[in-house]
Amino acid sequence: RIGDLGFLIAMCLIFFNFGSLDYSTLFSPGFLADSSVSTETLTLITFCLFVGAMGKSAQIPLYTWLPDAMAGPTPVSALIHAATMVTAGIYMVARTNIMFSLTPDTMTLVIIIGIATALLGAVIGLFQNDIKKVLAYSTVSQLGLMFVALGVGAYTAAVFHVVTHAFFKALLFLGSGSVIHAMSGEQDIRHMGGLKKKLPITYLTFLIGKDYICRI
């Protein structure tokens, strides 16, 4: 709800100051530069937009919902939590990059939140015992890296990572589903081990996904 409120405030501010919510109007050549909107107002707009992105894309301190959402079926996790839903905040910031580029204070905040989320998500993931929560916190960490790319103005790199993350994280979630099914519903990694011979195909696919995330 915090993210929803921030995003709603940003939409209201954009409409009241620019008279439109249409991308083609707002980002037409010279529209923002010719407007009489102050830098402070634009900073407030981008800050509220980023609050919405923080909630949607699980950034500190609004990240706790993502690991808790792992209770659903694994194919659903592979689709929603690896590709389509959690990256909506990244996509929104990338689409509104003109506004963010004009507000360096917000860009600095994006970098700080992104770095903190990337580090915290990775550290928390190291201490998880649920195979799906390990991947969930890995997603939180990867989303933080995407925001770091956005914060430094590397919008193309951020969107590229959105695409690559969708593939390798979906692969890892589906691989974990295969392991959970083979273990009769067991998700605690402390009760697993020596499955390479039992699940050779799952081993190879999981290795490919994990190797790719390490390279990223």
Side-chain angles (χ1 to χ4, degrees):
R1 292 296 175 260
I2 295 174
D4 293 343
L5 180 61
F7 194 65
L8 184 61
I9 292 173
M11 291 175 63
C12 292
L13 289 172
I14 291 173
F15 188 79
F16 290 150
N17 286 279
F18 300 107
S20 176
L21 292 172
D22 189 77
Y23 279 119
S24 60
T25 300
L26 292 172
F27 304 138
S28 59
F31 181 81
L32 290 176
D34 296 338
S35 67
S36 58
V37 177
S38 65
T39 303
E40 290 74 17
T41 301
L42 203 55
T43 300
L44 179 60
I45 290 173
T46 53
F47 172 75
C48 291
L49 284 174
F50 180 56
V51 171
M54 288 169 62
K56 192 67 173 175
S57 296
Q59 298 297 288
I60 290 175
L62 308 178
Y63 69 95
T64 53
W65 67 267
L66 180 59
D68 293 339
M70 291 297 106
T74 306
V76 176
S77 301
L79 173 64
I80 296 179
H81 298 289
T84 58
M85 188 175 74
V86 294
T87 53
I90 310 292
Y91 174 77
M92 184 272 295
V93 175
R95 279 296 299 270
T96 56
N97 68 83
I98 297 176
M99 285 186 176
F100 279 85
S101 296
L102 294 173
T103 53
D105 290 341
T106 307
M107 294 285 276
T108 302
L109 177 64
V110 173
I111 295 173
I112 294 172
I113 295 295
I115 292 175
T117 303
L119 292 175
L120 183 67
V123 171
I124 295 177
L126 291 174
F127 295 93
Q128 297 301 306
N129 296 317
D130 188 312
I131 187 171
K132 290 179 69 177
K133 283 202 172 184
V134 172
L135 298 178
Y137 280 106
S138 170
T139 297
V140 172
S141 179
Q142 295 296 315
L143 291 169
L145 293 176
M146 295 176 204
F147 273 111
V148 172
L150 293 172
V152 299
Y155 303 109
T156 303
V159 174
F160 174 75
H161 191 28
V162 167
V163 176
T164 57
H165 175 263
F167 283 100
F168 72 71
K169 190 53 64 67
L171 178 61
L172 291 173
F173 269 118
L174 292 173
S176 70
S178 176
V179 172
I180 293 170
H181 178 71
M183 295 288 292
S184 301
E186 179 61 65
Q187 295 185 207
D188 194 328
I189 59 176
R190 293 172 296 183
H191 299 157
M192 301 175 187
L195 295 175
K196 177 181 176 181
K197 295 181 180 179
K198 302 291 184 180
L199 303 170
I201 297 177
T202 300
Y203 165 76
L204 288 175
T205 55
F206 218 101
L207 182 63
I208 291 170
K210 209 60 183 174
D211 179 65
Y212 196 82
I213 193 174
C214 290
R215 292 178 185 274
I216 292 293

